[in-house]
Every structure is written in C-alpha cells, then in structure tokens.
Amino acid sequence: MTGERNPASIRRMRADDLDMVLAWRNAPSVRSMMFNPDIIERTQHQSWFEQTSLAVRRALLIVAWEDEPLGFVQFDGVEPGGVSDWGFYARPGAPRGSGRILGRTALDHGFGAWQLHKICGRAIAFNTASIRLHARLGFQQEGLLREQHRIDGVHHSVLCFGLLRHEWQATGNEHPQNPFPQSEERAK
C-alpha cells in the first residue's frame, strides 16, 4: 500500500473540541471504563484543557478518519527518545475497528513524529476491550498491580503495558481498513 494516502489523521485538540470530547468522556460506555468514572462538569473540563494544553511534554489529540472524528488520545512525557504514557477512548458509537485505527494512528505519530522510545499504557482489569486492543497493537504486558485502584469502594487490579519503537516498526504499520463502509459506497 506504499504511496497511498492514509485517510486516518491526527491533530492537536482545540478549544472548539471541548464540548465534543466532554460528551464522549461523560458517555456511560466511556466513563465506566475510566480510572475516574465520575461525570466531569464543563468548568472542570475547561480548566483541565487550559492547564494541560500549556504543558510542554503533554499532548491532547483528536484522531479522525477522512475528517470524521474517531476519538481522543492523550500522551504524557513527550520528548525524542522518551518514554510516554498514553490514554485513549473512541467516541461512543464509533464503528467497529475505530479503536484499532485510533491506536495505530497515535502510535505512528508517537514513534514517528515524536521519535518516542517507548509508549506505556494501563487498563483496569475489567476493561477487556482496552486490554485486547493493547495486545492487538503489539504491546507486551509488563505488570499486574493487584487490587491497585479503588472505584466505588471496590479494589481493582491494573494491567501495565509497554511497546518499544523497534517492536512497533517491526509490525509493518499498514494503513487501517475503513471503519465507515457507507463512505466507500458513496465514493463509487
């Protein structure tokens, strides 16, 4: 597929994305898988965005497919040769396969444009979709923090993942498949 345009794109989150990202974050299907499952208020979200956007080594990103937003990605510890933590979620109701596109696009960016050495992720043990996605993207499970995180009085284990740049480069990084089959039909 060399030479073909990749319809997946990634860009910095902007102030005009705040309402969209807040709606995604507060959707029950997303919120229930978060380390903090509380509903976030608009003022709290605005303050988080203003503070986080100023941090030199943090990045708040939107991944899209042909300009259709698929989800949100956050990186912390961004610097060439650095080790970065990431977090992500696909928008509620996103087509099947959107998580993989979101992940591949973000990892391409992290290991390519930023030249990160390693990307680390964490998932609460009940978040099986995130655990499966990390595995499909080539992450290795590097640890299990038993009963590490408490939510509503219940302790949950946390899985820790890591992916090195040379491991990512060995995957081939082919362009992902279109998650919006109806857009292929319109193009015909």
Side-chain angles (χ1 to χ4, degrees):
M1 296 188 77
T2 305
E4 291 184 25
R5 183 184 79 80
N6 182 356
S9 62
I10 192 165
R11 65 168 173 81
R12 292 272 181 179
M13 183 179 164
R14 304 179 303 246
D16 62 344
D17 294 319
L18 278 171
D19 290 333
M20 174 181 71
V21 172
L22 180 63
W24 295 349
R25 164 56 179 84
N26 280 340
S29 62
V30 172
R31 189 168 49 85
S32 65
M33 297 296 140
M34 303 291 282
F35 282 86
N36 173 8
D38 297 340
I39 291 177
I40 304 297
E41 299 297 327
R42 178 65 162 85
T43 54
Q44 187 181 5
H45 188 60
Q46 175 79 36
S47 177
W48 163 81
F49 177 73
E50 289 170 359
Q51 291 174 350
T52 306
S53 295
L54 297 175
V56 176
R57 295 181 62 217
R58 288 188 78 180
L60 309 176
L61 306 166
I62 301 294
V63 173
W65 181 274
E66 296 179 343
D67 299 322
E68 180 76 26
L70 290 180
F72 169 80
V73 182
Q74 176 174 284
F75 283 94
D76 190 17
V78 175
E79 66 177 333
V83 176
S84 182
D85 294 313
W86 82 327
F88 57 89
Y89 45 87
R91 74 163 203 252
R96 183 170 171 81
S98 295
R100 186 178 289 188
I101 292 170
L102 181 124
R104 292 187 69 79
T105 303
L107 294 172
D108 279 344
H109 192 73
F111 289 123
W114 293 333
Q115 290 295 296
L116 294 171
H117 172 70
K118 182 179 182 180
I119 297 175
C120 302
R122 297 183 313 146
I124 301 171
F126 60 73
N127 190 347
T128 57
S130 180
I131 294 165
R132 278 193 312 269
L133 181 61
H134 277 93
R136 285 184 183 136
L137 292 170
F139 281 82
Q140 299 298 310
Q141 183 177 329
E142 296 184 334
L144 173 67
L145 305 174
R146 298 176 310 124
E147 297 185 15
Q148 175 76 14
H149 190 75
R150 188 168 68 181
I151 300 174
D152 295 329
V154 178
H155 287 88
H156 299 276
S157 296
V158 175
L159 285 79
C160 303
F161 301 96
L163 180 63
L164 301 171
R165 182 178 0 170
H166 70 84
E167 294 169 337
W168 178 247
Q169 291 167 336
T171 67
N173 305 323
E174 73 275 355
H175 294 319
Q177 296 296 312
N178 185 353
F180 301 102
Q182 66 278 14
S183 67
E184 285 180 349
E185 292 169 13
R186 283 194 311 254
K188 291 181 181 177

